[in-house]
Amino acid sequence: MISDHRPAQANRVPMDSISQIVLGASLAHVTLGEKLGRRALLLGAALGTLPDLDVLVPYEDAIESFTYHRSWSHSLLVLSLISVPMAMLCKRLVKRADISLSRWWFSLWLILITHPLLDGFTVYGTQLLWPLPVPPTAWGSVFIIDPVYTLPLIVGVAVAWQRQWLQARPLVLTGLGLSTAYLAWTLVAQQITYRKVVATLELRDIEASHVLVAPFPFSLLWRVVVINGNEYLEGYSSLLDSQSTVPMQTYDNGKAGCADWLDSWPVARMDWFTRGAFALSVREGQLVLSDLRMGIEDEYVFEFALAEWSDDQWQPIIARQLPVDIDPERMTLLLQRVADERIDLTSPGSVQALGSCSALEQYTG
C-alpha cells in the first residue's frame, strides 16, 4: 500500500488482488466448472484481475495516475460491452466444452462486473458509471484488505482445485454466500457508526458537507472524517464502544490559506475525486495535498507534492507522490482501540497547522 518515488503508474491501491482472484475463480467454477473443470478456476482468476491491468497505462503525473485508475477499466458499461466479443472468442476457441454462447457471456460478464462492484465497497473510489462525469463510487464499508471477506472464497477455491465439480460446488457456493453476507454486514455496521456521527454533529451544532465512515480490517473499528468548510474533524468509533457519540478532533484543512490553488487542475481533480476530503499544507518548501480518506492524521497513505517554493515564489511541478512513514506504535494503538475506547488516537501535531501558502517564509526561515 505504501509508495515511494516509483513511477506514477505504480502508485495506486486496488482492492486486494487475492480477493479479486478468488472471487473470479469462484464465479467461474459455479458457472463453467461443470464443463471446464480446473480450467474454469484459471480463467476466472485471470478475468478477475483483468480490470486492474490499467495500472500498466502510464500517465504524466501522480494525480492523473491516482484518479484515472478505476475509471474506464472499471466501468460497468465498458465491461458489459467487451464481455460480448470475449464470449464469442471463448466459444470459438473452446469448442470441445460444448458451452452455449449465452452461458459464456453470462459467466464472463458476471466475473468482470463483480470486480468493480467489489472495489466500490472500499473507500478509494471506483468510477462505475464512466464516462459519465459523476464522482466515483466509494461506499467505504470494507477495508482494502479484509481476511474475513477473502478466507471463505480461498477455502472454496482450494477445495475446487482438489475435487470434482459436483463435490466442490456446494462449498464454493457457501464461500460466495458467506463473503456476500459479510459485505452486507459491513454496510449495517457502517450505518450504526454513521448514526452515532450524526448524533455527535447535532450535539456540536456542526453542518457537514461530507461525512466519511471507513473501517479498519474486520469492520469493528471505524474511522470518521467530517468535512466542515475550512476544517475537518477526525474521530474513531468501535462497535464495542459503550458511548453513543464519537469524540472528534478538529483540524485546519489549509483550503483557506491556500485558496489560490483550489482552482488548479490537480487540486480541483482531487476535490472531485475525494468529495472534498483533502487537505493542503506546506512542508519543507513544498505544497502538499493529503487525501484524508486513507490513513490516519499525519500519516496518510496518499500525499502529493504539487509545487515548490523557489526564487521567492511558488513553482508548479509535475505532481509526485510522497513516501509514507507509518508509526508502528500508532498501529498497535489502533488494534487496542477496538476493545478499549479510553485509548486516545489523536495526532500529537497536525501538519495542517502550518497555515497559509502565502506565508512560507515563516516555515523556511
Side-chain angles (χ1 to χ4, degrees):
M1 284 179 58
I2 300 173
S3 301
D4 47 25
H5 294 294
R6 289 171 290 181
Q9 60 265 32
N11 298 334
R12 310 169 212 170
V13 173
M15 177 68 184
D16 174 23
S17 296
I18 296 178
S19 298
Q20 298 287 12
I21 288 172
V22 292
L23 174 60
S26 298
L27 293 172
H29 173 81
V30 171
T31 56
L32 298 174
E34 182 182 11
K35 299 288 187 177
L36 296 181
R38 285 182 176 180
R39 290 180 296 171
L41 297 173
L42 298 175
L43 177 63
L47 290 180
T49 59
L50 182 63
D52 280 336
L53 293 183
D54 67 336
V55 299
L56 301 177
V57 178
Y59 291 100
E60 182 178 357
D61 63 40
I63 295 293
E64 288 184 345
S65 176
F66 184 68
T67 61
Y68 287 137
H69 176 46
R70 291 192 185 179
S71 58
W72 53 271
S73 68
H74 286 60
S75 166
L76 297 180
L77 174 62
V78 171
L79 294 176
S80 295
L81 289 175
I82 68 171
S83 65
V84 176
M86 290 179 67
M88 296 172 65
L89 179 63
C90 286
K91 181 169 177 55
R92 182 172 181 177
L93 293 178
V94 192
K95 295 180 180 180
R96 293 184 180 180
D98 191 27
I99 300 173
S100 67
L101 179 60
S102 60
R103 187 170 179 178
W104 271 117
W105 169 80
F106 177 74
S107 179
L108 301 187
W109 174 79
L110 188 62
I111 296 168
L112 289 173
I113 68 162
T114 50
H115 178 119
L117 289 175
L118 179 58
D119 280 344
F121 279 89
T122 70
V123 76
Y124 184 100
T126 307
Q127 298 173 52
L128 297 178
L129 300 180
W130 187 94
L132 298 180
V134 296
T137 298
W139 296 310
S141 67
V142 178
F143 193 68
I144 289 175
I145 299 176
D146 195 324
V148 179
Y149 174 83
T150 310
L151 282 177
L153 297 174
I154 291 178
V155 172
V157 169
V159 172
W161 187 259
Q162 298 293 331
R163 299 182 182 179
Q164 296 296 323
W165 182 76
L166 281 177
Q167 295 176 314
R169 188 171 184 266
L171 193 55
V172 174
L173 286 171
T174 300
L176 285 168
L178 289 175
S179 61
T180 303
Y182 177 68
L183 289 181
W185 155 245
T186 64
L187 292 173
V188 173
Q190 185 183 49
Q191 281 302 305
I192 293 172
T193 306
Y194 179 77
R195 290 178 181 177
K196 291 175 65 174
V197 176
V198 171
T200 304
L201 296 179
E202 289 178 350
L203 285 174
R204 296 178 60 171
D205 195 25
I206 296 175
E207 293 186 8
S209 59
H210 181 54
V211 176
L212 171 71
V213 180
F216 291 97
F218 311 112
S219 296
L220 290 174
L221 180 64
W222 296 77
R223 176 173 173 265
V224 175
V225 177
V226 176
I227 309 301
N228 177 33
N230 294 321
E231 298 177 332
Y232 65 94
L233 295 82
E234 182 193 54
Y236 298 86
S237 179
S238 171
L239 296 183
L240 305 180
D241 287 352
S242 59
Q243 55 188 330
S244 59
T245 57
V246 181
M248 289 184 281
Q249 178 69 36
T250 302
Y251 301 95
D252 176 17
N253 60 25
K255 294 178 184 179
C258 301
D260 291 344
W261 289 90
L262 296 181
D263 291 332
S264 65
W265 186 87
V267 177
R269 177 71 178 178
M270 287 296 291
D271 185 17
W272 171 80
F273 192 78
T274 67
R275 298 177 186 262
F278 71 94
L280 295 170
S281 61
V282 175
R283 289 184 239 166
E284 300 178 353
Q286 296 182 115
L287 174 62
V288 176
L289 185 148
S290 303
D291 184 341
L292 301 178
R293 303 170 304 158
M294 286 172 277
I296 57 179
E297 177 58 28
D298 273 356
E299 296 179 6
Y300 290 106
V301 176
F302 292 108
E303 295 188 301
F304 306 91
L306 306 182
E308 295 179 345
W309 185 257
S310 178
D311 298 327
D312 295 327
Q313 61 181 337
W314 285 110
Q315 301 287 351
I317 61 174
I318 295 176
R320 64 174 182 270
Q321 187 176 338
L322 300 178
V324 180
D325 184 17
I326 300 296
D327 184 356
E329 292 185 6
R330 294 185 76 188
M331 296 301 101
T332 301
L333 288 176
L334 279 171
L335 292 175
Q336 297 172 353
R337 176 62 183 83
V338 174
D340 189 351
E341 57 192 300
R342 297 170 299 176
I343 292 178
D344 183 12
L345 294 172
T346 304
S347 169
S350 172
V351 295
Q352 273 67 48
L354 291 176
S356 171
C357 295
S358 62
L360 181 65
E361 60 274 8
Q362 63 179 293
Y363 315 120
T364 60

